[in-house]
Amino acid sequence: FLSNHGRTKQKRTKRSGLCDNTTENPTLKSIIMANPPITITDDVQGFWAARWSGAVLGWHKRDVNPHLQKYSDILVEKDESNRIFVPLCGKSVDMAYLSSNAKVSHVVGIDIIKQAAEEFAEDHPALSLQEYQPEESCDATSSGSIFHGDDITIIVGDLFNLLEMEHEDRAKYITLGSTVSAEDGSTSYLFDSIYDRASMVAIDPTLRNNYATYMGEILRPGGVMLLVTLDRRKVTDDAAKKGGPPFSIDESEVRQLFESHEWVDTVELLEEVNDLTTDDDKKRWEKKGVLELYELVFVIRKKKS
């Protein structure tokens, strides 16, 4: 069939055996049998589905993010078996880059748009991603799927519906790619790091405080978060400042948000980069009332205890 981008694709086949819960993978089986499954919030899904139907995905980059390339060592501070969470991952090539790191044991992403996971799987066949669906979603086309492959899993679902799950149910997803169970009472099953290039700038600003709280809950003690935000530094009016997504988040806002949380040890601004370096970029953003736009890169560290 033809995608919304006009590219010919082969129709994907569901792993039907998983709909009767016959998978031999115990971790995936626990997900498939999870109660409740991650649900899709219709208004959120509808908004992003409309964005994905466009000819150009403004947030998607063909190349690995240069900030990730420069600071990836921060995300893999353990010698081995680092597990990384990528919220609102889309079909980012950054996930493939992370999974190829010898110090990374598993990458777990989540996005509300199933098309993102499908296209990522097609773009990266070497990762051997297969689609799995919980029994309740066997006939669904837009929710409930988990794409699991070599060293990587993409969950199709609403990020906040996952984060707001009861601890026991959420843990079934958090433990994807982990050799440690959440039932042993330790915190070693939590993610070692979080890579957020396009998540916080995409969510409703009123949800940022809850988002920061949940990031602390799924990150192990001593873990790190690499956060990239956009700062609409010079604008023509207040509407341009508040427009989005992507929404503007400057350094003071990041510090005020995260430093107010008990789990945060330090917030460090690593770098800021002018994001309007070409005439086309300047013209495109000027139409939105933005005259100066900067990317800010932060590392946020969780307390060790």
Side-chain angles (χ1 to χ4, degrees), residues 139-282:
D139 296 324
T141 58
S142 62
S143 65
S145 294
I146 294 172
F147 288 72
H148 185 73
D150 295 340
D151 303 327
I152 188 167
T153 301
I154 300 176
I155 303 165
V156 178
D158 188 305
L159 171 64
F160 278 92
N161 286 344
L162 166 64
L163 296 175
E164 292 168 358
M165 278 183 168
E166 294 295 329
H167 174 79
E168 181 179 347
D169 291 315
R170 186 174 69 185
K172 294 175 181 178
Y173 292 88
I174 301 302
T175 53
L176 280 165
S178 175
T179 58
V180 181
S181 170
E183 298 175 357
D184 65 4
S186 74
T187 58
S188 55
Y189 76 94
L190 298 171
F191 291 112
D192 298 291
S193 53
I194 297 170
Y195 172 57
D196 177 348
R197 185 197 71 81
S199 183
M200 181 165 278
V201 297
I203 64 173
D204 187 316
T206 62
L207 298 174
R208 288 176 186 168
N209 189 63
N210 288 346
Y211 179 84
T213 297
Y214 290 130
M215 293 301 102
E217 291 180 1
I218 65 175
L219 190 62
R220 69 166 174 80
V224 298
M225 179 178 184
L226 187 64
L227 171 67
V228 182
T229 71
L230 285 176
D231 177 6
R232 301 184 181 209
R233 190 162 297 178
K234 185 176 181 181
V235 296
T236 56
D237 52 38
D238 193 51
K241 183 71 171 181
K242 295 180 178 179
F247 295 101
S248 180
I249 315 175
D250 62 25
E251 180 182 359
S252 64
E253 290 173 303
V254 170
R255 291 190 179 280
Q256 182 178 6
L257 176 64
F258 282 96
E259 289 175 351
S260 66
H261 284 269
E262 181 62 27
W263 66 268
V264 174
D265 185 16
T266 60
V267 177
E268 179 185 357
L269 175 64
L270 298 174
E271 182 177 14
E272 65 172 48
V273 178
N274 180 10
D275 210 34
L276 302 182
T277 57
T278 69
D279 289 339
D280 287 344
D281 287 337
K282 292 176 182 178

Side-chain angles (χ1 to χ4, degrees), residues 58-77:
W59 63 88
H60 179 71
K61 308 299 180 184
R62 294 182 179 273
D63 300 318
V64 176
N65 186 276
H67 303 310
L68 177 59
Q69 292 178 308
K70 186 173 183 178
Y71 298 111
S72 61
D73 286 349
I74 290 174
L75 296 173
V76 291
E77 293 186 339

